[in-house]
Amino acid sequence: MVATTVQQAQDGSVETWDALRARRNVRQFTEEPVPDEALDRILEAGRRAPSAGNWQPWDFVVVTDRAQLVDLAKVWQGAGHVAGAAAAIAIVAPDPQDEGQSALLQYDLGQATYAMTVAAADLGVGTGHAAAADQEQARAVLGFPAGHFLAYVLSVGYPSDKPLAVIERLNRRPFDAVVHRGRW
Ligand SMILES: Cc1cc2nc3c(=O)[nH]c(=O)nc-3n(C[C@H](O)[C@H](O)[C@H](O)COP(=O)(O)O)c2cc1C
């Protein structure tokens, strides 16, 4: 099936269903900067995410300086795409106090992250996840306070391989293998 190009409204946004189906991990970006209004909308999507007891365990550090992006890319071997992104959103979280809180934290950060990726796709902006391992490097680059850690980084920018479009042939388990109705 031929991929359907995302239809954009006058303000540049697309239908939610199209944005959700067009999102993919983008790891190669053009030089084009992402406008501040677009970045702010993406961040606002994260800020609005639901969280356990509404504790909102996240702070977002936006990075657009090239040298800083290059240094941020060193936090994890799989974070190389951050170096070439137009921007990055560093998702900083409080150190969890116990295992239960850690599980909630991961769930909540996932929701905030996904909201930002779909909001970005809605604007034709690509995002790419990166985990974070080297917390000393992360703290040196981002300057977040003690008692916090860098959980993930989202690369942000316009895809250089091909524009975002609804993905028709998806590398996912089949719908009927995933969905169980009434009982497993
Ligand atoms: C929690 C999490 C961590 C990830 N870490 C990385 C990473 O460090 N580097 C990377 O290139 N991709 C990373 N990814 C991207 C996944 O590999 C990707 O989402 C998955 O292969 C599905 O592809 P898609 O997002 O294009 O649909 C991560 C994704 C998630 C959800």
Side-chain angles (χ1 to χ4, degrees), residues 1-124:
M1 217 182 282
V2 179
T4 315
T5 305
V6 172
Q7 295 296 312
Q8 295 199 323
Q10 273 187 334
D11 69 351
S13 67
V14 299
E15 291 295 325
T16 308
W17 183 233
D18 280 354
L20 198 145
R21 292 180 300 156
R23 186 221 58 86
R24 61 184 167 87
N25 250 264
V26 175
R27 299 185 178 88
Q28 289 174 307
F29 301 92
T30 68
E31 296 282 323
E32 188 181 347
V34 177
D36 287 343
E37 310 80 66
L39 277 176
D40 283 355
R41 191 195 282 196
I42 294 164
L43 291 157
E44 174 67 359
R47 188 182 76 90
R48 284 175 175 259
S51 58
N54 199 25
W55 70 318
Q56 305 164 65
W58 44 62
D59 282 82
F60 308 132
V61 185
V62 191
V63 177
T64 54
D65 176 73
R66 180 62 55 206
Q68 211 182 345
L69 288 165
V70 168
D71 283 343
L72 189 57
K74 295 173 186 160
V75 295
W76 165 242
Q77 60 183 18
H81 52 82
V82 174
I89 298 173
I91 300 164
V92 176
D95 294 330
Q97 301 304 304
D98 53 47
E99 274 185 28
Q101 201 179 58
S102 176
L104 289 176
L105 181 66
Q106 294 302 329
Y107 191 99
D108 292 341
L109 294 181
Q111 299 222 75
T113 305
Y114 188 59
M116 290 194 278
T117 65
V118 175
D122 183 58
L123 298 170

